[in-house]
């Protein structure tokens, strides 16, 4: 049994629209391919011995023990690996429950999809599950020490990869509100929302937090002086850099008891409280200096009382916690060390800030605290006797928190809210020492000790005692006030052919509205009028670039099947999901072997459309129109046939549609017909001759209209959008070269060839085709390309791509030659001359060299820009003066309708 490939899905995907986080194994069962579990001696017993908790897996039986019944009766190893991987994650505190296993067309090879909570942990669990199952097959058991190591590794990964408790609380609140979030690649930044609507946080610093306020809060002495000037009760104190300044500082604050802390410290590190002797003061100064970046300490008068943290968000007190320093309580028989060990066994305690509580660490500071109480680690405390282990009450040093939100006095609330205005923080933690938080500070001698930027939320969301407070809620309310959106409109476009043209056209339509449009295509990623990144950018990485950009107001995302299979979608949901068509292309790749499976891949885009959004579907394609049964969104259809029964029934029920009727592109809205314009007036359609471009225009217009774009803006966009090398490179780019014409189109599959053929068949002169296809297609696909080429062209030059994608050089050309020969045998074809020139540049130049008056040279290139460059070098006119532009003459004997037709009003 061998893992052939591991993929990680992070968004809506082929396996599930709702379960975004999946690891997918391509697993070769090898010698176990024909051996179900009931035929493997001792396997059931070994599996139950290793993981008895698998009894909780219901599986398809729908009952406790259902999965183990399947194992005992006989199931394949891929299915077992799925359940084991899920259980390993469950046992280490990562609750997951979704898994799927299916056989591929390759004998003995399975795809196993496993849900994960943490990506690294999911991949580890998948590999560990294979190891565990293989071991039980071979020896009847899985060594206990190996299982323990696997579980320990998974727990460590979970701890290392987990978000901090404050960030976690914000993320959970965002998910509750359906606010999308993502972790950025630097400085632990979290982005909430998309595009121009996004907000960013780092722990509990927000993008509204001012740098001046943070700098002031980090300067403890400066903060204290500012607050004192404002009449806020603060401790008397002064700064000390050197030991010879210490005695004067103690005298300045009024003598003992004192507190010494780093001027710029945090998390309670280097702080010593209640100092009452010179020796203790010297030691405390040394500790504080070691923790201070500025080598400066703060010496303050120590005030007795309880330590409280008041959390203020957006000017309002939202939570109050009393913090109790780490301590142990004697039982009359255990030493202090034993009591510490017992306290640390509390499952709520862990390392750092990831758990509810932090483990107590025995260090120099703790031992000094014991010395001051005249006890040691080996001291046995009397029953009920309290021994404090820290001078500070920080949770990070082992303290506990008690919620006091409902007890704080209104005057103290007013002081806290006034303080954050004085300092200027949007989120602040105010430390107050007072004997009783329910009474005004002025009455009980309470003081404000510190003001903290980026305060931790752990003590409030998970207090040791009292009511947990959802302090993330007011933060999200501040970032996204009620009624303000967190998302920008997302329109996702997929299909076998026409994706790039449709994506670019939708982007062009939206530009008429004055918004900043970000869009991704097979030729690059664009924001506004500028190319950000060149390349075939139709996957989630490029979509993420758009969604992370803070200037983007609308996202139009070409979404290819490869990205869906490799990673899933880059977004949790879209506003419009457009599916143009599904044809036999890319079959045999990525374990997608049938056109029905390909339709399932494409349907992810439609199914990811939000319930209040739209799935725009091609009513003329049965595989696409059938997707309406699965979508949660509203459905809008487009069709080249106004009598299409699906469209007619949909319109009668008040639905939205777009149709080509009586020469017009029109929107149907219930009983109303809203005409956009005649097809012959739309440059993209080449005078109404390119039917597939009419279909693309219908889909684009419908997607925009469904999002509220006005007909006038759509009309203006259609009238100014051309098949030029600048606007749509490689999409029906027709060049007037004087004596003859050349057409460049990125068609690379049978459906694409057929679409271009609907235009080419109307050309009266000789047609010369430079044909080929990507090397990773099936043999039968090349044969079909040859057959179609024989019907379309008088002369054919067969070429191959520079990148053969693993195919033997020349074999793709031979497949096309075979298809041409087969077409000649079965009936009448146009082709009379066939030549093979494998190098694409040479092939294109040869075709252009032989072109005569009135000819049309059609190039299906691998590299669009190279083909366009070769053509532009030949003629007097460049890509901006093609036959579909108003200034260009019509090609000979081709009826191109006027491009200045009347604009119909709605």
């Amino acid at each position: 049994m061998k893992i052939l490939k591991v993929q990680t899905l992070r968004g809506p995907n082929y396996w599930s629209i709702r379960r975004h986080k999946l690891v997918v194994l391509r697993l070769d069962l090898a010698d176990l391919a024909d051996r179900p579990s009931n035929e493997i001696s001792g396997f059931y017993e070994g599996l139950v011995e290793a993981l008895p908790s698998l009894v909780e897996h219901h599986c398809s039986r729908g009952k406790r023990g259902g999965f183990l019944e399947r194992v005992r009766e006989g199931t394949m190893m891929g299915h077992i690996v799925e359940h084991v991987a899920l259980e390993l994650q469950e046992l280490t505190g990562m609750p997951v429950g979704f898994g799927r296993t299916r056989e591929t067309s390759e004998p003995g090879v399975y795809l196993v999809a496993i849900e994960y909570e943490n990506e690294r942990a999911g991949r580890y669990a998948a590999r560990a599950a294979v190891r565990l199952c293989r071991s039980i097959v071979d020896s009847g058991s899985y060594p206990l020490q190996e299982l323990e190591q696997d579980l320990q590794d998974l727990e460590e990964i979970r701890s290392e990869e987990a978000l901090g408790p404050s960030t976690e609380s914000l993320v959970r609140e965002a998910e509750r509100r359906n606010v999308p979030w993502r972790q950025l690649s630097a400085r632990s930044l979290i982005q909430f929302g998309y595009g121009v609507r996004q907000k960013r946080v780092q722990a509990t610093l927000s993008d509204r937090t001012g740098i001046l306020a943070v700098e002031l809060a980090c300067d403890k002495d400066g903060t204290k002086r500012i607050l004192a000037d404002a009449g806020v009760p603060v401790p008397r104190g002064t700064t000390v850099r050197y030991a010879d300044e210490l005695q004067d500082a103690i005298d300045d604050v009024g003598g003992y008891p004192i507190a010494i802390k780093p001027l710029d410290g945090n998390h309670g590190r280097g702080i010593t409280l209640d100092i009452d002797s010179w020796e203790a003061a010297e030691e405390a100064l040394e500790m504080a200096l070691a923790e201070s970046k500025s080598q400066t300490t703060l010496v303050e008068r120590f005030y007795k009382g309880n330590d409280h943290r008041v959390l203020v968000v957006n000017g309002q007190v939202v939570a109050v916690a009393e913090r109790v320093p780490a301590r142990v309580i004697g039982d009359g028989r255990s030493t202090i060390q034993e009591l510490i060990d017992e306290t640390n066994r509390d499952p709520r305690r862990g390392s750092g800030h990831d758990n509810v509580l932090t483990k107590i660490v025995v260090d120099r500071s703790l031992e000094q605290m014991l010395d001051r109480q005249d006890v040691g680690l080996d001291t046995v405390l009397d029953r009920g006797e309290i021994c404090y282990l820290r001078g500070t009450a920080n949770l990070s040093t082992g303290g506990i928190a008690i919620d006091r939100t409902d007890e704080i006095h209104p005057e103290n609330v007013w002081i806290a809210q006034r303080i954050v205005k004085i300092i200027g923080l949007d989120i602040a933690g105010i430390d107050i020492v007072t004997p009783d938080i329910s009474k005004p500070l002025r009455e009980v001698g309470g003081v404000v000790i510190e003001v903290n930027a980026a305060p931790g939320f752990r003590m409030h969301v998970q207090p040791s005692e009292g009511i947990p407070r959802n302090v993330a809620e007011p933060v999200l309310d501040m970032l996204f006030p009620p009624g303000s959106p967190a998302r920008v409109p997302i329109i996702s476009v997929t299909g076998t052919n026409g994706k790039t043209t449709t994506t670019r056209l939708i982007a062009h339509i939206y530009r008429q509205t004055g918004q900043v449009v970000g869009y991704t295509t097979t030729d690059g990623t664009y924001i506004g009028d500028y190319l950000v990144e060149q390349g075939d950018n139709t996957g989630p990485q490029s979509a993420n670039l758009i969604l992370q950009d803070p200037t983007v107001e609308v996202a139009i995302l070409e979404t290819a099947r490869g990205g869906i299979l490799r990673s899933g979608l880059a977004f949790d949901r879209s506003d419009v999901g457009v599916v143009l068509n599904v044809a036999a292309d890319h079959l045999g790749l990525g374990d997608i072997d049938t056109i029905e499976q390909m339709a399932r891949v494409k349907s992810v885009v439609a199914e990811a459309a939000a319930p209040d959004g739209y799935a725009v579907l091609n009513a003329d394609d049965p595989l696409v129109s059938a997707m309406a049964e699965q979508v949660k969104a509203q459905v809008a259809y487009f069709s080249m046939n106004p009598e299409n029964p699906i469209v007619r029934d949909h319109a009668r029920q008040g639905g939205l549609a777009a149709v080509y009727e009586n020469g017009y592109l029109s929107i149907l809205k219930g009983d109303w017909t809203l005409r956009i314009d005649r097809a012959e007036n739309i440059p993209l359609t080449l005078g109404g001759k390119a039917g597939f471009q009419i279909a693309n225009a219908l889909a684009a217009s419908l997607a925009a209209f469904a999002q509220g774009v006005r007909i006038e803006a759509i009309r203006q966009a259609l009238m100014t959008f051309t098949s030029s090398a600048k606007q749509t490179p490689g999409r029906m780019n027709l060049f007037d070269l004087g004596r003859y014409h050349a057409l460049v189109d990125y068609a690379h599959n049978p459906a694409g060839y057929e679409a271009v053929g609907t235009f080419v068949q109307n050309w009266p002169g000789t047609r010369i085709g430079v044909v080929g296809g990507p090397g990773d297609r099936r043999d039968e696909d090349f044969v079909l390309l040859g057959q179609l080429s024989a019907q379309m062209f008088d002369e054919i030059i067969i070429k191959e791509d520079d990148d053969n994608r693993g195919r033997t050089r020349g074999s793709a050309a031979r497949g096309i030659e075979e298809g041409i020969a087969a077409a000649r045998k079965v009936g009448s074809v146009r082709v009379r001359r066939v030549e093979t020139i494998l190098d694409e540049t040479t092939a294109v130049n040869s075709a252009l060299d032989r072109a005569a008056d009135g000819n049309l040279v059609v190039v299906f290139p691998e590299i669009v820009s190279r083909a366009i460059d070769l053509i532009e070098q030949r003629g007097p006119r460049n890509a901006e003066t093609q036959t579909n532009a108003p200034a260009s003459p019509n090609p000979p004997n081709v009826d191109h309708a006027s491009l200045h037709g009347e604009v119909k009003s709605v």
Side-chain angles (χ1 to χ4, degrees), residues 30-49:
D31 59 312
L32 301 176
D34 299 317
R35 295 175 65 192
S37 54
N38 62 326
E39 296 180 10
I40 302 173
S41 177
F43 183 84
Y44 174 82
E45 293 77 12
L47 183 64
V48 172
E49 180 183 4

Side-chain angles (χ1 to χ4, degrees), residues 119 300 324 747 764:
E119 186 174 313
E300 293 181 333
V324 180

Side-chain angles (χ1 to χ4, degrees), residues 225-239:
R225 284 189 277 114
I226 290 288
L227 294 181
D229 290 345
V232 175
V234 295
R236 294 169 60 187
T238 187
T239 57

Side-chain angles (χ1 to χ4, degrees), residues 735-742 763 847-849 851-857 871 874-875 892:
F735 297 84
D736 181 352
L737 298 176
R739 296 186 303 107
Y740 63 94
H741 287 72
W763 198 271
L848 296 173
D849 287 342
D853 291 354
N855 287 183
L856 175 66
V857 177
I871 291 168
R874 297 290 183 127

Side-chain angles (χ1 to χ4, degrees), residues 64-347:
R64 188 172 185 268
F67 167 66
L68 290 179
E69 283 184 9
R70 294 279 306 274
V71 176
R72 187 170 56 246
E73 295 168 7
T75 188
M76 299 310 293
M77 197 56 62
H79 180 213
I80 297 170
V81 166
E82 169 200 325
H83 280 266
V84 170
L86 293 173
E87 184 59 20
L88 290 174
Q89 295 178 84
E90 284 276 356
L91 291 173
T92 49
M94 293 174 280
V96 290
F98 178 85
R100 291 289 185 272
T101 301
R102 76 170 177 87
E103 196 171 4
T104 70
S105 59
E106 188 175 341
V109 175
Y110 286 74
L111 294 177
V112 183
I114 302 152
E115 187 179 13
Y116 66 84
E117 185 178 84
N118 174 278
E119 186 174 313
R120 265 183 66 202
R123 295 171 75 94
Y124 183 102
R127 295 181 184 278
V130 173
R131 286 199 309 272
L132 183 149
C133 291
R134 182 76 257 182
S135 176
I136 296 174
V137 169
D138 292 341
S139 65
S141 65
Y142 189 55
L144 178 60
Q145 63 270 27
E146 291 193 27
L147 177 60
E148 290 175 344
Q149 185 63 56
D150 287 336
L151 297 177
Q152 181 181 331
D153 289 347
L154 282 168
E155 287 176 350
E156 289 177 358
I157 291 171
R158 177 178 62 85
S159 178
E160 291 168 3
E161 298 290 319
L163 298 170
S166 299
T167 305
E168 181 75 19
S169 67
L170 293 171
V171 164
R172 296 289 85 84
E173 178 64 19
E175 290 177 341
R176 188 184 70 79
R177 299 170 180 229
N178 289 318
V179 172
W181 69 276
R182 61 191 58 214
Q183 195 164 5
L184 302 182
S185 58
R187 304 188 65 81
S188 301
L189 288 170
I190 300 292
Q191 174 184 319
F192 294 114
Y194 292 143
V196 73
R197 305 291 186 186
Q198 70 179 267
K199 306 293 181 183
R200 293 178 182 175
V201 301
Q202 182 190 61
T204 59
L205 289 174
S206 82
D207 52 15
R208 293 177 38 145
T209 307
I211 184 64
L212 292 179
V214 173
E215 290 290 333
L216 179 57
C218 290
D219 179 354
K220 299 183 189 303
D221 185 53
T223 297
K224 190 175 65 172
R225 284 189 277 114
I226 290 288
L227 294 181
D229 290 345
V232 175
V234 295
R236 294 169 60 187
T238 187
T239 57
V240 170
R241 290 177 59 87
Y242 305 104
D244 59 7
E245 300 171 349
L246 182 57
Q247 184 60 60
D248 288 342
I250 294 172
D251 294 340
D252 286 346
V253 301
Y256 301 109
I258 62 169
I260 299 179
K261 61 185 73 172
L263 182 66
D264 47 7
N266 54 36
H267 300 305
R269 288 190 286 265
I271 295 178
T272 307
L273 305 179
D274 199 11
I275 301 166
D276 57 7
S277 70
W278 174 252
E279 293 76 13
E282 285 184 310
E283 265 193 276
L285 179 66
E286 183 180 341
M287 288 177 56
L289 286 170
E291 293 290 341
S292 173
K293 295 178 183 177
S294 63
Q295 286 294 289
T296 305
T297 65
L298 187 60
V299 177
E300 293 181 333
R301 179 77 177 175
F302 177 72
Y303 292 80
K304 295 187 181 293
N306 299 325
D307 187 311
H308 297 82
R309 166 62 63 82
V310 179
L311 182 64
V312 183
V313 177
N314 201 25
Q316 300 297 313
V317 170
V318 298
V320 181
E322 178 186 345
R323 300 183 297 181
V324 180
R327 63 183 184 176
V328 291
I329 301 175
D331 60 6
R333 63 179 185 276
S334 302
T335 66
I336 289 175
Q337 179 66 67
E338 289 169 340
L339 292 171
I340 291 172
D341 294 340
E342 178 63 28
T343 300
N344 283 339
R345 279 191 279 272
D346 185 338

Side-chain angles (χ1 to χ4, degrees), residues 350-370:
S351 301
H353 297 265
D354 295 334
N355 292 64
V356 178
L357 299 171
T358 302
K359 288 186 176 181
I360 299 169
V361 177
V362 176
D363 55 15
R364 179 185 170 192
S365 175
L366 184 145
E367 291 174 343
Q368 289 175 337
M369 189 68 185
L370 296 181

Side-chain angles (χ1 to χ4, degrees), residues 549-715:
D549 190 278
T551 68
V552 169
E553 296 175 282
V554 182
I556 318 296
L557 307 174
E558 181 178 345
T559 308
R561 55 99 219 166
I564 297 173
L565 290 173
R566 284 191 302 272
S567 300
L569 300 179
F571 45 86
D572 59 340
R573 69 187 194 202
S574 66
D575 296 274
V576 180
V578 181
V579 186
L580 298 170
N581 42 61
V582 179
D585 190 25
H586 296 97
L587 299 183
L589 301 176
D591 292 303
I592 302 300
D593 302 304
T594 68
I595 195 169
E596 289 76 20
Q597 289 175 331
M598 183 60 72
R600 174 72 192 98
V601 175
K602 304 288 187 184
S603 73
V604 171
V605 167
E607 292 179 46
D612 59 350
Y614 276 90
V616 173
L617 305 177
N618 185 349
D620 299 333
D621 187 326
L623 289 171
V624 177
S625 60
M627 296 175 188
E629 299 175 8
Q630 302 299 323
V631 303
K632 299 292 189 292
Q634 305 168 83
V635 175
Y637 292 105
F638 66 94
S639 173
M640 293 291 287
N641 175 15
E643 300 303 314
N644 183 301
I646 294 174
V647 172
R648 293 186 66 181
D649 290 346
H650 185 66
R652 272 198 295 266
Q653 296 173 32
L656 187 63
V659 295
Y660 181 48
E661 50 87 22
N662 298 314
Y664 284 91
L665 280 73
S666 299
I667 300 289
L668 304 183
K669 190 177 180 182
D671 295 332
W672 297 92
T673 298
L674 312 176
R675 284 182 168 174
I676 301 172
D677 212 322
R678 295 188 66 84
E680 63 186 19
N681 295 337
I682 297 172
L684 177 67
T685 71
L686 298 178
K689 304 297 183 183
F692 66 97
Q693 296 287 43
I694 297 175
N696 291 337
L698 286 171
S701 301
L702 184 57
F705 187 83
Q707 277 291 290
V709 179
R710 294 170 57 83
I711 285 284
E712 291 78 8
I714 295 172
R715 180 183 298 120

